[in-house]
């Protein structure tokens, strides 16, 4: 058994090297031996969640609590980590068990509100957002929560106008959120020019730190495009029939992926889904995502079976059960090659939407934790062209393994397309799938309200009122990109 001193040194060195494997191995020793790290367990938990290790992170926080954490500090951080990893009901239950004033009234209330929103409990969400505002009237993120749920009163609107005029919202996120609230209000009054000006300012504020890296984006796509059907077949190992089977769902943000996720997750043989983000853990373990990186990994003694086991273990920490599940992680187009190595012939569904509608939906959406939320219309167009090139590549390599679904076709003929999508995933269609909106599953994406409603056409033509303001998108979208 490794000594605590050696494990602590290994953890520190792995942290400095960004070494996932070394950090997790050291953390397992530290946790198993209840290392007396005290408040350092809090930072360790954050690092472990960064590397996908939710259960180990929760255990680290249990140790912090046992070793003298401030009252309910460990429980609150556990609730935050649960919410970040899609366990919103568990997060809400845990934070509800904490006194309302800890760790601070506004932090407590905001976490409760955010979790309640994802669960469709808008009454609780409104009450908690208003509790935040009672403590911190300048919390523009809370005003935004109310605005998104259409719960603003005339008195609220006056308070928002006063807040905007005062300049009291100082933090970057609050400044961006306030502009977004003003955009929503102007949009609902059909003052589209004013709404666009506020959307643009909100995006510009987020873009101060959420920079678009065009060259890095192209480079990432070219690494992904290095995977061919031959290189996938070279490394692929057939998964045992007893193992869980993922369904991979991809497409641009706001293209309809959450809608399809809900349709599939309503099936009795699908346990759930979400933006799992686990490909990055596979990449970190391999040491890269190109075919040559997998060659080197295997040459060093690594195995595809071990990578698949890692992915399934981490997925199991997020999605209970033993059945199929949906992985709709962002930028899934970049991980299709490696994921197809781990899960040969796994069904892949790619959503497409009218380019202008899709671009405008991205631009106008509050994507606080997503770098896309800080991109200009021209940058969104550039990314869209890269993704279209990626789709062309995967169509050529994957054939019938890949099903491309038009959002417009899906909402125009839902019965037909629900059946087609379901059968593509190797399942028999079920009547309850069309009523996915009746589910109480948590939804953590920007579509949290839309998927509480039946399939409808309200997402068609959303860019029309703003087309005169989208010249930058049109100019950039005219340039095709070759990988």
């Amino acid at each position: 058994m490794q000594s605590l001193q050696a494990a602590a040194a290994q953890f520190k060195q792995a942290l400095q090297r960004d070494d996932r494997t070394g950090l997790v191995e050291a953390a397992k020793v530290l946790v198993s031996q209840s290392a007396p790290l005290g408040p350092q367990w809090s930072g360790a938990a954050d690092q472990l969640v960064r590397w996908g290790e939710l259960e180990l992170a929760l255990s680290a926080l249990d140790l912090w609590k046992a070793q003298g954490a401030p009252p309910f500090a460990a429980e609150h951080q556990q609730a935050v980590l649960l919410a970040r990893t899609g366990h919103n009901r568990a997060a809400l239950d845990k934070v509800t068990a904490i006194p309302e004033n800890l760790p601070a009234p506004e932090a407590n209330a905001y976490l409760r509100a955010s979790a309640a929103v994802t669960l469709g409990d808008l009454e609780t969400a409104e009450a908690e957002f208003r509790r935040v505002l009672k403590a911190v009237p300048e919390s523009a993120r809370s005003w935004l929560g109310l605005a998104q749920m259409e719960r603003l009163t005339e008195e609220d609107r006056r308070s928002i106008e006063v807040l905007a005029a005062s300049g009291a919202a100082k933090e970057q996120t609050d400044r961006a959120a306030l502009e977004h609230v003003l955009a929503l209000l102007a949009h609902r009054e059909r003052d589209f020019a004013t709404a666009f000006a506020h959307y643009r300012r909100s995006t510009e504020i987020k873009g101060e730190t959420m920079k678009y890296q065009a060259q890095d984006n192209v480079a990432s796509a070219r690494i992904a495009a290095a995977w061919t059907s031959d290189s996938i077949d070279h490394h692929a190992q057939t998964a045992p029939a007893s193992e869980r089977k993922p369904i991979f769902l991809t497409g641009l943000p706001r293209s309809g992926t959450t809608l399809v996720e809900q349709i599939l997750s309503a099936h009795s043989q699908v346990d759930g889904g979400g933006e799992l983000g686990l490909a990055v853990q596979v990449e970190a373990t391999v040491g890269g995502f190109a075919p040559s990186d997998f060659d080197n990994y295997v040459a060093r003694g690594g195995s595809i079976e071990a990578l698949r086991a890692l992915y399934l273990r981490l997925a199991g920490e997020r999605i209970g059960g033993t059945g199929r599940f949906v992985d709709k992680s962002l930028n899934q187009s970049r991980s299709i090659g490696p994921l197809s190595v781990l899960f040969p012939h796994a069904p892949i569904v790619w959503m497409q939407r009218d380019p202008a509608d899709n671009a405008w939906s991205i631009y106008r959406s509050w994507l606080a934790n997503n770098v896309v939320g800080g991109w200009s219309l021209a940058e969104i167009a550039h990314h869209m062209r890269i993704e279209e090139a990626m789709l062309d590549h995967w169509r050529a390599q994957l054939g019938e393994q890949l099903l491309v679904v038009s959002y417009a076709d899906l909402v125009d003929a839902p019965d037909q397309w629900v059946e087609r999508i379901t059968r593509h995933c190797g399942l028999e269609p079920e009547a309850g799938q069309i009523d996915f909106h009746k589910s109480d599953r948590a939804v953590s994406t920007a579509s949290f309200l839309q998927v509480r409603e039946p399939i409808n056409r309200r997402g068609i033509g959303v860019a029309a009122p703003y087309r005169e303001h989208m010249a930058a998108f049109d100019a950039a979208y005219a340039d095709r990109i070759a990988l």
Side-chain angles (χ1 to χ4, degrees), residues 174-369:
D174 274 325
R175 290 188 291 119
L178 181 58
E179 292 292 339
H180 203 93
V181 172
L182 296 170
L184 288 174
L185 293 175
H187 175 82
R188 287 164 189 165
E189 293 171 354
R190 304 187 64 79
D191 184 354
F192 300 123
T194 299
F196 180 82
H198 286 300
Y199 281 129
R200 180 175 59 193
R201 182 59 186 145
S202 178
T203 302
E204 289 172 347
I205 292 170
K206 287 186 284 186
E208 293 169 3
T209 54
M210 294 181 176
K211 302 292 186 182
Y212 179 66
Q213 305 294 338
Q215 291 182 337
D216 290 348
N217 198 0
V218 172
S220 169
R222 285 176 176 161
I223 290 172
W227 285 97
T228 64
S229 57
D230 288 341
S231 57
I232 291 171
D233 290 343
H234 174 70
H235 284 294
Q237 299 287 332
T238 301
S242 59
E243 287 187 345
R244 298 184 75 180
K245 295 178 174 59
I247 297 166
F248 297 113
L249 176 57
T250 189
L252 288 161
R254 312 297 292 139
S255 64
T257 54
T258 301
L259 171 61
V260 173
E261 176 202 1
Q262 292 293 100
I263 290 169
L264 287 170
S265 296
H267 195 284
S268 63
Q269 295 181 39
V270 180
D271 291 322
E275 294 177 356
L276 303 182
L278 299 180
V280 67
Q281 312 307 340
V282 175
E283 181 180 14
T285 304
V286 170
F289 241 21
S292 59
D293 295 317
F294 274 67
D295 292 338
N296 294 332
Y297 169 76
V298 172
R300 295 193 306 269
S303 74
I304 302 304
E305 292 86 351
L307 293 176
R308 186 168 62 246
L310 171 67
Y311 174 94
L312 288 174
R313 178 176 64 80
L314 297 179
E317 293 187 5
R318 287 156 180 74
I319 303 172
T322 59
R324 301 187 185 203
F325 60 93
V326 182
D327 183 344
K328 63 173 291 286
S329 302
L330 294 171
N331 288 325
Q332 194 90 281
S333 65
R334 314 305 169 91
S335 54
I336 284 176
L339 291 175
S340 293
V341 167
L342 271 57
F343 302 97
H345 314 300
I348 302 168
V349 179
W350 191 304
M351 291 300 298
Q352 280 195 311
R353 189 177 177 188
D354 172 81
D357 281 351
N358 204 158
W360 178 249
S361 293
I362 293 171
Y363 192 72
R364 72 171 183 179
S365 293
W366 180 255
L367 303 170
N369 298 316

Side-chain angles (χ1 to χ4, degrees), residues 37-113:
L37 300 183
Q40 295 181 67
W41 281 121
S42 175
D46 282 335
Q47 287 299 321
L48 288 166
V49 165
R50 176 194 172 203
W51 293 118
E53 299 287 345
L54 174 60
E55 291 185 2
L56 200 55
L58 296 175
S59 296
L61 291 171
D62 283 336
L63 287 170
W64 183 32
K65 177 183 177 182
Q67 294 174 10
F72 298 103
E75 292 91 330
H76 185 268
Q77 188 172 345
Q78 285 177 328
V80 171
L81 298 187
L82 287 166
R84 280 172 53 188
T85 53
H87 293 284
N88 290 282
R89 192 172 301 282
L92 184 58
D93 289 344
K94 186 169 283 288
V95 74
T96 301
I98 297 172
E100 289 187 353
N101 63 324
L102 294 176
E106 60 274 17
N108 184 297
Y110 192 82
L111 180 54
R112 293 188 191 198

